[in-house]
C-alpha cells in the first residue's frame, strides 16, 4: 500500500475565480503534483522524495501561493517559508523568510540532511543555500501579475491583510511501500504580511509533522491559529493517545478545536494504513489524493 | 494556590565553573527571578505577568544566556529569541533573530497583545518593536567578556558549536490564584550558531506551551531535538489524553522520549493543581520553584 495527498491552499474561493477553465487549471495542477509524487512511490521510492517532488510541482506552478506565484509581503517582496519532516526518525528541516531560493522545500530538505539544525531564517538561510550550491534566483522569479494586483488592492484598503481569496500554502503527505511517512509544506505566506511574520508552514508540529507510528500531516489556513493549536502534532497525539484513526483525529482538530479557536483552514493527513483525510472548515480547500488501490481524486469546494 | 518555576539553562556544568561563589551567584539569580514572579502572583496578579517579570530578571542578569549575557553567533552578533503563551486562551507571541531589543520576552508579549500575528522574525520584528515604542539598544548592550571568550574558543576549534558548557535558555512557568497558567522562554541560542539558526525557544509547542486545561511548560536544551519531539505540546498531550500528572508527563518526555531521540536538556512545568516538575536528562539544569504553600527551592546539578 502506498498513498499521497496534496493541498494547494484553503479559504474562500470566489465564484468569479472558479470559471470552468480555472477549475480545470487547479485540478490539473493538483493532479500533476499527485502524479509526480505517486510516480516516486510507485517505483518503490521514499515518501520523503515523493512529498518533496509533489511540492516542487506546486511551487513551480504560478496558480499556487508557493515559489513562483507566491503572494507579496507589504514591502513588495516575496518571502517564502517551507518545511519537511521524515516520519522514520523524526528528522526535520525548515526555512523562513527566504527570497532567492527557487524551491524552498528543497532548501528545507537540505537543512535537514546537511546541517545540524532544524530551522534557519532569513539571510542566514540564504547563505546556507549558497553554501549548498543552490543557484539563487532574483526575487522577481516568483512574481505574477495576479499577486501584484492583490497586494495593490490590499494596500489601497480594498482587501484586508491575510484575508485574500485563498490562504495559500501547498503541501504533501505520503506513505511509501516501506511503511515510511513524510510531510512537506511550502508557502509565500499572507498577502501584505509585515514585520517578518512567520506562519505555521515552517513550524514543525504546527504546519508539518510526520511520525511512522501514526501519521503525516500538512496544514493550510490562518497560520496563527494553527500554531496556537499545534495542529499537526495534535492530530498525531489524538491518534497515539486517544486511539483515533487518521480521519477522526484530523476531523476533531480541524472541525472541532480549530473552529472553537476561530481558525479557518484545513489539513491533509495520511495514516500508517494509507488512509487519507482531507478535512477543512473553510469554504474550500484545493486538495487531491492518489493511492495504490486506484484512488485518484481532486477537490476544490465542499463535496 | 499559586506557584512559579524558572530555569536558567541545562547542560554540563564544569566543576571549575562551580566555585562556591559561582554557585551562590546562580542560586541568587534564580531566586531573584522567582521572587519577581512570585510577588506578582502573591498580590493576585496574572501568571502571564509573573512569567514575563521572572524572565526579564534573568534576561538582565549577565550570568544567563538571554538578554544581557547572551552568547554570540558565529558572526559576532547577539541574535535573540523569545516566546510567551497564555494558557487562558492559547494566545501566543514569539520573536526570533532580534539584535536590538533589550527584553525579547517583552517584545514577544507585544507581538501577542498588539499584533495579529504569533511569530515575527529578524529586522521585521525589530521594526515592530520600534512601532511599539521600544527603545532600541546597541547589540553591544548584551555583551560580556565571558561570551566573547567562548566564541573565540569555539572559532579557534577548542570547543564545538552548540557544545558550550551550558546550553543556555531562561524560562518561567506559573499558575496564578485565578487558575490561569502561562509560560515564557528567552535565549541567545547556541554559541557560534550560523545561518540564522532558530532553536526551540521561540517555537510554540516546542520550547513553550501553556493551556489552562493541563499545564505550562518552558524548555531548555539542545533545541533541534526539542523541536522534533514537540516537547512542550507533547507533555500537554500526555496529560490530556493519557491522564498523566505533570510530573509523570514531563518525566516521560525528558527522560524517555528525548533520551531515545538523543536530545539533552530539561523542562520546567506546572500543572493546574500547582504541582511543579523540573526534570532534566543532562548533568545539570539551573532551576528553581516557589509556591504559596511555602516551597522555595533552587538547584543546579542532580539532587
Amino acid at each position: 500500500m502506498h498513498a499521497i495527498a496534496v493541498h494547494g491552499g484553503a479559504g474562500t474561493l470566489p465564484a468569479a475565480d472558479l470559471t470552468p477553465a480555472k477549475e480545470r487549471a487547479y485540478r490539473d495542477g493538483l493532479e500533476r503534483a499527485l502524479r509526480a509524487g505517486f510516480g516516486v512511490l510507485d517505483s518503490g521510492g521514499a515518501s520523503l522524495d515523493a512529498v518533496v517532488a509533489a511540492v516542487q510541482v506546486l511551487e513551480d506552478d504560478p496558480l499556487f501561493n508557493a515559489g513562483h506565484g507566491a503572494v507579496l509581503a507589504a514591502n513588495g517582496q516575496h518571502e517564502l517559508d517551507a518545511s519537511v519532516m521524515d516520519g522514520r526518525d523524526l528528522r526535520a528541516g525548515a526555512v523562513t523568510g527566504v527570497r532567492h531560493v527557487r524551491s524552498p522545500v528543497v532548501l528545507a530538505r537540505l537543512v535537514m540532511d546537511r546541517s545540524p539544525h532544524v530551522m534557519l531564517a532569513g539571510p542566514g538561510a540564504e547563505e546556507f543555500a549558497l553554501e549548498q550550491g543552490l543557484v539563487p534566483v532574483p526575487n522577481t522569479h516568483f512574481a505574477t501579475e495576479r499577486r501584484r494586483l492583490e497586494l495593490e488592492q490590499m494596500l489601497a484598503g480594498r482587501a484586508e491583510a491575510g484575508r485574500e481569496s485563498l490562504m495559500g500554502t501547498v503541501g504533501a503527505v505520503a506513505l511509501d511501500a516501506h511503511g515510511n511517512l513524510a510531510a512537506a509544506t511550502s508557502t509565500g505566506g499572507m498577502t501584505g504580511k509585515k514585520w517578518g511574520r512567520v506562519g505555521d508552514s515552517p513550524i514543525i508540529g504546527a504546519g508539518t509533522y510526520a511520525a511512522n507510528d501514526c501519521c503525516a500531516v500538512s496544514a493550510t489556513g490562518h497560520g496563527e491559529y494553527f500554531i496556537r493549536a499545534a495542529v499537526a502534532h495534535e492530530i498525531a497525539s489524538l491518534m497515539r493517545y486517544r486511539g483515533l484513526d487518521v480521519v477522526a483525529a484530523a476531523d476533531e482538530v480541524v472541525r472541532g478545536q480549530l473552529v472553537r479557536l476561530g481558525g479557518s483552514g484545513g489539513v491533509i493527513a495520511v495514516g500508517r494504513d494509507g488512509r487519507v483525510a482531507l478535512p477543512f472548515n473553510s469554504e474550500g480547500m484545493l486538495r487531491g489524493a492518489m493511492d495504490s488501490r486506484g484512488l485518484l481524486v481532486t477537490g476544490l469546494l465542499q463535496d
Side-chain angles (χ1 to χ4, degrees), chain A:
Chain A
M1 176 70 180
H2 48 276
I4 184 164
V6 300
H7 68 75
T12 304
L13 278 168
D17 220 35
L18 258 195
T19 58
K22 198 62 168 286
E23 177 174 344
R24 191 66 259 157
Y26 277 134
R27 288 190 190 272
D28 283 353
L30 292 165
E31 196 173 320
R32 271 194 304 275
L34 284 173
R35 289 189 186 282
F38 193 77
V40 173
L41 299 174
D42 228 16
S43 57
S47 52
L48 188 62
D49 296 321
V51 295
V52 170
V55 167
Q56 280 188 276
V57 169
L58 295 166
E59 284 178 334
D60 281 343
D61 189 327
L63 276 181
F64 301 96
N65 176 18
H68 181 209
V71 301
L72 288 158
N75 59 10
Q77 294 271 305
H78 302 276
E79 298 177 343
L80 311 174
D81 303 336
S83 64
V84 62
M85 188 159 184
D86 186 342
R88 276 178 304 190
D89 48 15
L90 302 181
R91 287 186 315 132
V95 294
T96 181
V98 298
R99 299 180 180 187
H100 304 286
V101 176
R102 176 175 164 172
S103 172
V105 75
V106 164
L107 181 58
R109 176 148 188 197
L110 287 169
V111 171
M112 177 173 91
D113 287 342
R114 299 197 198 161
S115 91
H117 302 310
V118 167
M119 188 173 188
L120 303 181
E126 309 247 16
E127 182 68 31
F128 176 75
L130 291 174
E131 291 181 25
Q132 291 300 318
L134 295 190
V135 178
V137 296
N139 198 252
T140 51
H141 164 80
F142 306 108
T144 51
E145 178 64 7
R146 170 188 171 203
R147 301 305 190 186
R148 194 187 63 70
L149 287 171
E150 282 176 6
L151 178 63
E152 198 174 278
Q153 290 214 326
M154 208 214 75
L155 295 179
R158 291 195 297 276
E160 207 181 316
R163 303 289 296 178
E164 73 268 50
S165 54
L166 201 66
M167 286 179 292
T169 301
V170 309
V173 295
L175 169 74
D176 65 29
H178 316 289
N180 293 318
L181 290 163
T185 309
S186 182
T187 191
M190 282 182 172
T191 299
K193 64 184 178 183
K194 290 203 294 185
W195 307 313
R197 177 257 185 186
V198 183
D200 64 313
S201 300
I203 305 295
I204 299 302
T208 301
Y209 188 77
N212 275 5
D213 66 326
C214 55
C215 59
V217 181
S218 172
T220 173
H222 198 143
E224 279 71 12
Y225 295 90
F226 283 62
I227 294 174
R228 293 164 57 200
V231 162
H233 187 260
E234 175 69 9
I235 291 170
S237 292
L238 289 172
M239 294 181 70
R240 285 175 174 140
Y241 304 131
R242 262 185 50 198
L244 301 192
D245 66 28
V246 69
V247 173
D251 220 61
E252 158 65 18
V253 174
V254 171
R255 296 192 218 261
Q257 295 182 21
L258 272 174
V259 169
R260 287 192 291 277
L261 205 56
S264 66
V267 306
I268 53 170
V270 59
R272 53 192 293 199
D273 57 359
R275 278 186 78 186
V276 165
L278 313 164
F280 54 100
N281 62 35
S282 43
E283 192 182 315
M285 180 169 85
L286 309 182
R287 64 202 184 276
M290 192 169 179
D291 74 18
S292 54
R293 291 179 185 151
L295 173 76
L296 172 59
V297 292
T298 58
L300 310 183
L301 300 173
Q302 300 283 357
D303 294 325

